[in-house]
Amino acid sequence: MNQRWVPARYSRTAEYLFPASQVAVAALGLRHGDVLLDSATGTGNAAVVALDRGARVIGVDSSPEQIDAARERLPTTDAEFVVADAEDLPLPTAHVDAGVSVFGIIFAHDRARALSELVRCVRPGGPVAFTTLSAEGWPNRARTILADELDAPPPSFPSLWSNPEAAERAAASSGLETIEVRSHALRLPLDGKRSLADQVTERMGGLAAMRTRLETLNRWHQASTRLDEYLDACAHSDTHAPVLVDPYLLVTGRKP
């Protein structure tokens, strides 16, 4: 994997992403006692959902800090967490009943290899699900705005599978069959009485890191004004409070 995540900064982001883990794990149709491989598990969002469904989990992540956080979060013999790279999983072929990666393998240096590795570890006939970000989501534009204020180039978008056609091709290339690509969205409710820029940088680890750099340079005030204007324009109203809607794709298939 090509990114390192800091659990203290990532915890609020994990809360925001948790509903996608619920959707992805539900799509697998796990049975009691099934073993699920969660590739790029982070702090264990998908593992939490799978354990609640009676499954057992093997969570793999390249970040020792994230794995430590997942172990502390889920101290049970039904969950095993391993430090390893998603592009080189330390598991035998056909070792697990199902595979999942929720906004995980899309951050790998070689995304196609990471997906193929996930599929390799699943038994024949087993389901696989992964989620991928949309380039149209508000976080991508927010990162671009803050990068501009830092006089930095726009951050590269983390997923090459940001549209249904590309996601389906990636799944097929990994060896999956009976592939389905469905559109979903994450929702971030906000307090309309506070700066939206302040709230999203409190919730999103990557944006928080950029804010820290801007504050060091005494540029946060100007940057937050631009970010507030953008967020105000794209927020939806939900019971008189602003809500940011972030589209994503859920890709499912089965190993032949």
Side-chain angles (χ1 to χ4, degrees):
M1 298 287 281
N2 64 344
Q3 299 206 23
R4 292 292 295 271
W5 302 96
V6 179
R9 182 172 284 163
Y10 180 75
S11 60
R12 297 296 300 276
T13 305
E15 292 176 10
Y16 170 65
L17 299 177
F18 185 74
S21 290
Q22 294 175 304
V23 170
V25 173
L28 294 169
L30 295 175
R31 298 167 299 183
H32 188 85
D34 278 351
V35 179
L36 173 67
L37 170 59
D38 181 15
S39 183
T41 186
T43 55
N45 271 354
V48 169
V49 182
L51 289 169
D52 283 345
R53 290 175 171 265
R56 292 178 291 150
V57 181
I58 301 172
V60 176
D61 201 283
S62 61
S63 166
E65 296 85 0
Q66 296 286 62
I67 289 295
D68 286 344
R71 288 171 177 158
E72 182 176 353
R73 183 182 185 186
L74 296 167
T76 170
T77 56
D78 287 331
E80 176 186 0
F81 294 101
V82 180
V83 177
D85 199 302
E87 298 170 33
D88 188 20
L89 294 172
L91 296 174
T93 297
H95 185 68
V96 299
D97 298 297
V100 72
S101 186
V102 182
F103 306 121
I105 58 174
I106 61 171
F107 291 98
H109 177 72
D110 188 338
R111 299 157 179 83
R113 178 179 173 84
L115 178 55
S116 294
E117 273 288 276
L118 177 60
V119 174
R120 177 186 66 79
C121 294
V122 175
R123 62 169 173 79
V128 174
F130 65 93
T131 61
T132 178
L133 297 163
S134 169
E136 303 305 316
W138 66 265
N140 191 43
R141 175 59 180 160
R143 285 190 293 268
T144 301
I145 290 171
L146 297 188
D148 183 60
E149 291 296 327
L150 286 166
D151 298 323
S156 59
F157 188 67
S159 179
L160 303 176
W161 310 329
S162 58
N163 63 71
E165 295 77 16
E168 184 173 2
R169 285 195 301 270
S173 296
S174 73
L176 291 176
E177 296 181 348
T178 60
I179 298 163
E180 293 188 28
V181 182
R182 302 182 185 91
S183 296
H184 293 271
L186 294 163
R187 298 171 63 83
L188 181 62
L190 298 169
D191 181 352
K193 298 178 181 179
R194 294 182 58 212
S195 160
L196 301 189
D198 284 348
Q199 293 178 72
V200 299
T201 52
E202 290 168 0
R203 295 294 298 272
M204 307 295 285
L207 298 180
M210 299 176 84
R211 174 176 179 166
T212 298
R213 291 165 59 195
L214 285 161
E215 288 175 333
T216 301
L217 298 170
N218 293 318
R219 295 183 182 180
W220 171 241
H221 178 72
Q222 177 177 315
S224 65
T225 299
R226 284 186 62 190
L227 187 54
D228 265 332
E229 290 174 353
Y230 166 69
L231 296 172
D232 281 335
C234 68
H236 298 262
S237 179
D238 188 354
T239 62
H240 308 293
V243 175
L244 293 171
V245 179
D246 187 8
Y248 71 91
L249 298 175
L250 170 67
V251 185
T252 58
R254 285 193 176 273
K255 182 175 179 177

mmCIF file of all heavy atoms in Angstrom, residues 141-152 201 206-208 210-211 214 220 223-224 227:
data_model
loop_
_atom_site.group_PDB
_atom_site.id
_atom_site.type_symbol
_atom_site.label_atom_id
_atom_site.label_comp_id
_atom_site.label_asym_id
_atom_site.label_seq_id
_atom_site.Cartn_x
_atom_site.Cartn_y
_atom_site.Cartn_z
ATOM 1 N N ARG A 141 -13.092 17.602 -4.301
ATOM 2 C CA ARG A 141 -13.036 19.031 -4.611
ATOM 3 C C ARG A 141 -12.485 19.824 -3.417
ATOM 4 O O ARG A 141 -11.719 20.770 -3.585
ATOM 5 C CB ARG A 141 -14.432 19.524 -4.989
ATOM 6 C CG ARG A 141 -14.531 21.020 -5.227
ATOM 7 C CD ARG A 141 -13.603 21.492 -6.332
ATOM 8 N NE ARG A 141 -13.714 22.930 -6.526
ATOM 9 C CZ ARG A 141 -12.788 23.673 -7.123
ATOM 10 N NH1 ARG A 141 -11.673 23.101 -7.579
ATOM 11 N NH2 ARG A 141 -12.956 24.968 -7.266
ATOM 12 N N ALA A 142 -12.849 19.404 -2.202
ATOM 13 C CA ALA A 142 -12.335 20.093 -1.014
ATOM 14 C C ALA A 142 -10.821 19.977 -0.933
ATOM 15 O O ALA A 142 -10.116 20.950 -0.610
ATOM 16 C CB ALA A 142 -12.993 19.517 0.241
ATOM 17 N N ARG A 143 -10.303 18.779 -1.224
ATOM 18 C CA ARG A 143 -8.839 18.603 -1.225
ATOM 19 C C ARG A 143 -8.176 19.498 -2.266
ATOM 20 O O ARG A 143 -7.095 20.057 -2.036
ATOM 21 C CB ARG A 143 -8.491 17.137 -1.482
ATOM 22 C CG ARG A 143 -8.728 16.217 -0.303
ATOM 23 C CD ARG A 143 -8.123 14.840 -0.554
ATOM 24 N NE ARG A 143 -8.820 14.141 -1.632
ATOM 25 C CZ ARG A 143 -9.848 13.323 -1.447
ATOM 26 N NH1 ARG A 143 -10.314 13.110 -0.235
ATOM 27 N NH2 ARG A 143 -10.414 12.715 -2.475
ATOM 28 N N THR A 144 -8.819 19.634 -3.421
ATOM 29 C CA THR A 144 -8.263 20.469 -4.479
ATOM 30 C C THR A 144 -8.207 21.933 -4.064
ATOM 31 O O THR A 144 -7.219 22.638 -4.321
ATOM 32 C CB THR A 144 -9.098 20.315 -5.765
ATOM 33 O OG1 THR A 144 -9.083 18.942 -6.170
ATOM 34 C CG2 THR A 144 -8.545 21.177 -6.891
ATOM 35 N N ILE A 145 -9.260 22.409 -3.400
ATOM 36 C CA ILE A 145 -9.295 23.795 -2.934
ATOM 37 C C ILE A 145 -8.177 24.056 -1.931
ATOM 38 O O ILE A 145 -7.441 25.058 -2.026
ATOM 39 C CB ILE A 145 -10.667 24.115 -2.299
ATOM 40 C CG1 ILE A 145 -11.750 24.149 -3.378
ATOM 41 C CG2 ILE A 145 -10.624 25.440 -1.536
ATOM 42 C CD1 ILE A 145 -13.163 24.237 -2.823
ATOM 43 N N LEU A 146 -8.016 23.161 -0.971
ATOM 44 C CA LEU A 146 -6.980 23.367 0.051
ATOM 45 C C LEU A 146 -5.575 23.224 -0.531
ATOM 46 O O LEU A 146 -4.657 23.943 -0.123
ATOM 47 C CB LEU A 146 -7.184 22.395 1.208
ATOM 48 C CG LEU A 146 -8.494 22.552 1.984
ATOM 49 C CD1 LEU A 146 -8.491 21.657 3.220
ATOM 50 C CD2 LEU A 146 -8.743 24.007 2.372
ATOM 51 N N ALA A 147 -5.417 22.327 -1.499
ATOM 52 C CA ALA A 147 -4.110 22.207 -2.157
ATOM 53 C C ALA A 147 -3.756 23.492 -2.881
ATOM 54 O O ALA A 147 -2.599 23.939 -2.862
ATOM 55 C CB ALA A 147 -4.127 21.035 -3.140
ATOM 56 N N ASP A 148 -4.741 24.115 -3.518
ATOM 57 C CA ASP A 148 -4.502 25.382 -4.209
ATOM 58 C C ASP A 148 -4.061 26.456 -3.231
ATOM 59 O O ASP A 148 -3.154 27.248 -3.527
ATOM 60 C CB ASP A 148 -5.782 25.801 -4.939
ATOM 61 C CG ASP A 148 -5.593 27.081 -5.738
ATOM 62 O OD1 ASP A 148 -4.726 27.088 -6.644
ATOM 63 O OD2 ASP A 148 -6.300 28.071 -5.461
ATOM 64 N N GLU A 149 -4.654 26.478 -2.052
ATOM 65 C CA GLU A 149 -4.264 27.455 -1.040
ATOM 66 C C GLU A 149 -2.860 27.182 -0.497
ATOM 67 O O GLU A 149 -2.206 28.087 0.028
ATOM 68 C CB GLU A 149 -5.277 27.463 0.097
ATOM 69 C CG GLU A 149 -6.636 28.024 -0.281
ATOM 70 C CD GLU A 149 -6.581 29.493 -0.663
ATOM 71 O OE1 GLU A 149 -5.748 30.232 -0.083
ATOM 72 O OE2 GLU A 149 -7.359 29.910 -1.537
ATOM 73 N N LEU A 150 -2.409 25.945 -0.628
ATOM 74 C CA LEU A 150 -1.050 25.586 -0.212
ATOM 75 C C LEU A 150 -0.046 25.762 -1.347
ATOM 76 O O LEU A 150 1.140 25.434 -1.187
ATOM 77 C CB LEU A 150 -1.016 24.133 0.262
ATOM 78 C CG LEU A 150 -1.645 23.849 1.627
ATOM 79 C CD1 LEU A 150 -1.848 22.352 1.819
ATOM 80 C CD2 LEU A 150 -0.763 24.419 2.747
ATOM 81 N N ASP A 151 -0.521 26.269 -2.504
ATOM 82 C CA ASP A 151 0.328 26.385 -3.705
ATOM 83 C C ASP A 151 0.898 25.030 -4.090
ATOM 84 O O ASP A 151 2.051 24.915 -4.552
ATOM 85 C CB ASP A 151 1.466 27.394 -3.480
ATOM 86 C CG ASP A 151 0.955 28.796 -3.196
ATOM 87 O OD1 ASP A 151 -0.055 29.181 -3.808
ATOM 88 O OD2 ASP A 151 1.550 29.500 -2.361
ATOM 89 N N ALA A 152 0.110 24.011 -3.885
ATOM 90 C CA ALA A 152 0.515 22.642 -4.209
ATOM 91 C C ALA A 152 -0.313 22.131 -5.379
ATOM 92 O O ALA A 152 -1.413 22.630 -5.639
ATOM 93 C CB ALA A 152 0.313 21.732 -2.998
ATOM 94 N N THR A 201 -13.172 19.518 8.327
ATOM 95 C CA THR A 201 -11.777 19.261 8.684
ATOM 96 C C THR A 201 -11.668 18.590 10.048
ATOM 97 O O THR A 201 -10.653 17.957 10.355
ATOM 98 C CB THR A 201 -10.939 20.554 8.663
ATOM 99 O OG1 THR A 201 -11.572 21.566 9.462
ATOM 100 C CG2 THR A 201 -10.786 21.070 7.246
ATOM 101 N N GLY A 206 -7.593 13.497 6.129
ATOM 102 C CA GLY A 206 -6.779 14.115 5.092
ATOM 103 C C GLY A 206 -6.946 15.620 5.040
ATOM 104 O O GLY A 206 -5.971 16.371 4.877
ATOM 105 N N LEU A 207 -8.178 16.092 5.181
ATOM 106 C CA LEU A 207 -8.433 17.529 5.192
ATOM 107 C C LEU A 207 -7.857 18.181 6.447
ATOM 108 O O LEU A 207 -7.374 19.312 6.402
ATOM 109 C CB LEU A 207 -9.940 17.802 5.099
ATOM 110 C CG LEU A 207 -10.644 17.315 3.835
ATOM 111 C CD1 LEU A 207 -12.132 17.650 3.885
ATOM 112 C CD2 LEU A 207 -10.022 17.922 2.578
ATOM 113 N N ALA A 208 -7.899 17.447 7.562
ATOM 114 C CA ALA A 208 -7.335 17.977 8.809
ATOM 115 C C ALA A 208 -5.838 18.211 8.679
ATOM 116 O O ALA A 208 -5.306 19.222 9.166
ATOM 117 C CB ALA A 208 -7.613 17.006 9.955
ATOM 118 N N MET A 210 -4.210 18.912 5.945
ATOM 119 C CA MET A 210 -4.006 20.083 5.094
ATOM 120 C C MET A 210 -4.318 21.357 5.862
ATOM 121 O O MET A 210 -3.629 22.379 5.708
ATOM 122 C CB MET A 210 -4.871 19.968 3.843
ATOM 123 C CG MET A 210 -4.543 18.760 2.981
ATOM 124 S SD MET A 210 -5.634 18.548 1.553
ATOM 125 C CE MET A 210 -4.830 19.655 0.376
ATOM 126 N N ARG A 211 -5.335 21.315 6.714
ATOM 127 C CA ARG A 211 -5.656 22.488 7.521
ATOM 128 C C ARG A 211 -4.490 22.841 8.449
ATOM 129 O O ARG A 211 -4.155 24.028 8.612
ATOM 130 C CB ARG A 211 -6.914 22.239 8.347
ATOM 131 C CG ARG A 211 -7.213 23.377 9.315
ATOM 132 C CD ARG A 211 -8.495 23.188 10.073
ATOM 133 N NE ARG A 211 -8.710 24.300 10.997
ATOM 134 C CZ ARG A 211 -9.855 24.569 11.601
ATOM 135 N NH1 ARG A 211 -10.906 23.786 11.397
ATOM 136 N NH2 ARG A 211 -9.964 25.593 12.419
ATOM 137 N N LEU A 214 -1.946 24.705 6.584
ATOM 138 C CA LEU A 214 -2.412 26.056 6.265
ATOM 139 C C LEU A 214 -2.363 26.965 7.486
ATOM 140 O O LEU A 214 -2.004 28.148 7.373
ATOM 141 C CB LEU A 214 -3.834 26.002 5.704
ATOM 142 C CG LEU A 214 -3.942 25.491 4.264
ATOM 143 C CD1 LEU A 214 -5.365 25.043 3.953
ATOM 144 C CD2 LEU A 214 -3.507 26.577 3.278
ATOM 145 N N TRP A 220 -5.094 29.661 6.763
ATOM 146 C CA TRP A 220 -6.337 28.929 6.958
ATOM 147 C C TRP A 220 -7.576 29.820 6.806
ATOM 148 O O TRP A 220 -8.599 29.395 6.279
ATOM 149 C CB TRP A 220 -6.370 28.234 8.311
ATOM 150 C CG TRP A 220 -7.720 27.641 8.630
ATOM 151 C CD1 TRP A 220 -8.549 27.944 9.662
ATOM 152 C CD2 TRP A 220 -8.400 26.627 7.871
ATOM 153 N NE1 TRP A 220 -9.692 27.212 9.608
ATOM 154 C CE2 TRP A 220 -9.632 26.384 8.511
ATOM 155 C CE3 TRP A 220 -8.091 25.912 6.719
ATOM 156 C CZ2 TRP A 220 -10.555 25.455 8.044
ATOM 157 C CZ3 TRP A 220 -9.010 24.974 6.238
ATOM 158 C CH2 TRP A 220 -10.225 24.759 6.904
ATOM 159 N N ALA A 223 -8.390 30.150 3.192
ATOM 160 C CA ALA A 223 -8.765 28.841 2.668
ATOM 161 C C ALA A 223 -10.138 28.414 3.173
ATOM 162 O O ALA A 223 -10.947 27.857 2.420
ATOM 163 C CB ALA A 223 -7.712 27.806 3.061
ATOM 164 N N SER A 224 -10.409 28.661 4.450
ATOM 165 C CA SER A 224 -11.697 28.247 5.011
ATOM 166 C C SER A 224 -12.850 29.022 4.392
ATOM 167 O O SER A 224 -13.949 28.487 4.225
ATOM 168 C CB SER A 224 -11.702 28.420 6.532
ATOM 169 O OG SER A 224 -11.598 29.784 6.891
ATOM 170 N N LEU A 227 -13.470 27.313 1.118
ATOM 171 C CA LEU A 227 -14.052 25.994 1.348
ATOM 172 C C LEU A 227 -15.501 26.113 1.819
ATOM 173 O O LEU A 227 -16.373 25.345 1.385
ATOM 174 C CB LEU A 227 -13.216 25.230 2.374
ATOM 175 C CG LEU A 227 -13.580 23.763 2.611
ATOM 176 C CD1 LEU A 227 -13.606 22.978 1.302
ATOM 177 C CD2 LEU A 227 -12.596 23.133 3.586
#
